[in-house]
Amino acid sequence: MREYDQNLVNVIQQKSYIKNIDGIDIMMKPVPDDEREHVVDPRVIETTKIKMNVKSLDPHTKFSLHGNRVRLDKISHDITTTNVQEDEDLVEINHDHYIDVYTFTPENYEKGRPVLIYLHGGGYMTGDIAEFRMAMRFICEQSGCKVIFPEYRLSPENPYPAGIDDCHGIIEWVYETADELGVNRHKIMVGGDSAGGGLTNSCLFLDKDLHHIHYAYEFYAAFDLNFQKYEAVYSDDLFPVIEEHKIYAKNRIDRIRFSGNVGDLYLHGRISHNEPIVSILSCEDLSWLPSMSVVCGEYDYLRLLSDIFVKRALEAGVEVRSLRYLGCDHGFMEKVGVLPQAEEVLLDLANILKGL
């Protein structure tokens, strides 16, 4: 089921173009049905209108853990057309606890294919298989590869380093049991969105000497948990938008801009926001990173951090693709069947995965 004409996905692909910004070549993905510059995608406007009425998403109201975890505005649809098998298993981590892990296997699977381990977003404290199932199914189908989805422990009940331990533990589990899983241990892609991108970066940091991660694919990732340091460079001019769409763009940007308490709940004072294992931009050297794709929406506060990271990684000699989805906000990837951009970017991920 799609809430849009599938041809819009083709339009995005056909009209994509490279733009050099501050010395970085960025693949620009246009709004498919509005040729004006600096507009919010019409479907993003509709979802934003819904979010603007959800009190728990207002950065100026009292924080509600339940309100952030129970999100009726999180909608996605199944757009697969073949049989994707879903298995659920308990996997032991560090010999002291288990976590739930989902494995998606495509129809007529061929053993020895690359594998994606996907680390979901949600501010380190929300998110589960129900929210991301449709995206995982579609990636699995389109790539012909297995997708592993761990439900790592969430904060604030399980603060740092619980989530990192679980995610890195699953990467090591996939590497060690690759033959049993029927995947290629030398072609492990780790992907993640938002906090899941932050956890991906944490796992990359821990993998520096192991080299078990072959490729990373990150959506609007948490490259730095110290948001305060970027206020000095923040300006509305960095997010130009037409007058009639300003209210929607600002709502989506501010939602992330003023979410710094999320990092506090996750770290719980156990480690500084500036430590490289939780804020990869604190690393002086990034040359050890594997090849990567970095995705961000035009109206996402994390685009500031994303662009800084890409520039530094490229200067360090890392092979990085930068993709910017115009008119989109934070969290667009998971809206499968709702936004054509979600389908288009998941196709991009799937194509890279199957070609590893």
Side-chain angles (χ1 to χ4, degrees):
M1 172 182 173
R2 292 175 176 85
E3 297 182 16
Y4 50 85
D5 184 338
Q6 191 175 358
N7 185 57
L8 293 180
V9 176
N10 299 326
V11 173
I12 294 173
Q13 294 173 335
Q14 293 165 3
K15 293 188 176 182
S16 297
Y17 60 96
I18 299 290
K19 184 174 182 179
N20 188 280
I21 301 176
D22 193 25
I24 303 172
D25 284 338
I26 302 176
M27 175 64 73
M28 311 296 276
K29 299 288 186 173
V31 176
D33 44 3
D34 191 333
E35 296 186 355
R36 295 175 296 173
E37 287 190 329
H38 307 310
V39 298
V40 180
D41 183 278
R43 290 151 292 268
V44 173
I45 289 177
E46 293 307 309
T47 58
T48 300
K49 287 178 179 178
I50 296 173
K51 292 174 182 177
M52 289 171 74
N53 291 317
V54 179
K55 288 185 178 180
S56 61
L57 299 183
D58 186 340
H60 305 295
T61 62
K62 184 178 179 181
F63 175 78
S64 167
L65 182 60
H66 179 267
N68 276 268
R69 286 181 174 172
V70 181
R71 296 276 301 279
L72 299 180
D73 60 296
K74 296 275 189 178
I75 300 171
S76 60
H77 306 295
D78 189 356
I79 59 174
T80 59
T81 59
T82 61
N83 180 46
V84 175
Q85 180 179 326
E86 179 180 332
D87 296 296
E88 178 185 2
D89 297 284
L90 287 173
V91 175
E92 188 174 20
I93 303 294
N94 296 334
H95 304 292
D96 63 10
H97 69 281
Y98 291 86
I99 64 171
D100 222 6
V101 177
Y102 292 83
T103 302
F104 296 85
T105 304
E107 197 171 58
N108 302 317
Y109 176 69
E110 298 178 6
K111 289 185 177 181
R113 300 279 292 156
V115 59
L116 169 66
I117 301 170
Y118 194 83
L119 310 179
H120 70 79
Y124 302 96
M125 60 186 176
T126 74
D128 56 19
I129 188 60
E131 184 177 336
F132 291 87
R133 175 176 280 113
M134 301 314 176
M136 300 304 104
R137 286 176 55 82
F138 188 65
I139 295 169
C140 176
E141 177 189 63
Q142 295 299 312
S143 66
C145 299
K146 289 194 176 187
V147 176
I148 311 293
F149 185 96
E151 289 207 331
Y152 57 86
R153 288 171 293 171
L154 300 174
S155 67
E157 299 93 335
N158 301 283
Y160 171 90
I164 296 175
D165 288 346
D166 290 351
C167 293
H168 189 253
I170 287 300
I171 294 169
E172 293 304 291
W173 173 73
V174 170
Y175 185 85
E176 293 167 2
T177 63
D179 292 339
E180 181 182 339
L181 291 169
V183 301
N184 188 335
R185 62 168 46 86
H186 302 298
K187 293 186 177 181
I188 295 175
M189 175 192 283
V190 179
D193 64 289
S194 195
L199 289 167
T200 297
N201 291 328
S202 296
C203 290
L204 289 171
F205 186 80
L206 293 174
D207 190 60
K208 277 196 299 184
D209 299 320
L210 298 172
H211 305 295
H212 291 170
I213 302 173
H214 183 69
Y215 196 95
Y217 199 111
E218 303 187 8
F219 303 91
Y220 31 85
F223 292 107
D224 196 329
L225 290 183
N226 189 353
F227 282 13
Q228 190 59 41
K229 70 173 70 170
Y230 299 95
E231 281 300 300
V233 298
Y234 175 81
S235 167
D236 289 342
D237 294 338
L238 294 171
F239 298 91
V241 60
I242 63 173
E243 187 66 33
E244 64 195 89
H245 291 176
K246 275 187 177 180
I247 186 174
Y248 308 114
K250 184 170 178 55
N251 175 273
R252 301 313 300 140
I253 294 165
D254 285 354
R255 162 67 178 157
I256 303 302
R257 182 185 176 194
F258 299 115
S259 62
N261 65 317
V262 168
D264 295 334
L265 292 171
Y266 165 52
L267 299 182
H268 203 233
R270 298 183 177 191
I271 188 174
S272 167
H273 291 72
N274 298 314
E275 287 295 324
I277 194 170
V278 294
S279 295
I280 198 169
L281 275 173
S282 293
C283 289
E284 294 185 5
D285 174 35
L286 295 175
S287 62
W288 46 269
L289 286 166
S291 298
M292 304 177 69
S293 289
V294 175
V295 176
C296 211
E298 182 178 12
Y299 298 113
D300 185 341
Y301 180 76
L302 294 188
R303 178 167 62 77
L304 298 179
L305 286 66
S306 177
D307 289 348
I308 292 171
F309 171 81
V310 169
K311 186 175 180 63
R312 284 197 53 204
L314 286 171
E315 290 174 345
V318 180
E319 184 179 329
V320 185
R321 299 167 67 238
S322 179
L323 294 81
R324 182 178 300 179
Y325 282 76
L326 303 179
C328 285
D329 60 341
H330 189 83
F332 73 88
M333 175 280 298
E334 67 201 61
K335 297 182 177 68
V336 183
V338 177
L339 298 179
Q341 292 89 344
E343 181 174 349
E344 202 275 341
V345 75
L346 294 180
L347 284 171
D348 183 79
L349 187 160
N351 285 332
I352 291 181
L353 177 59
K354 67 183 179 183
L356 291 182

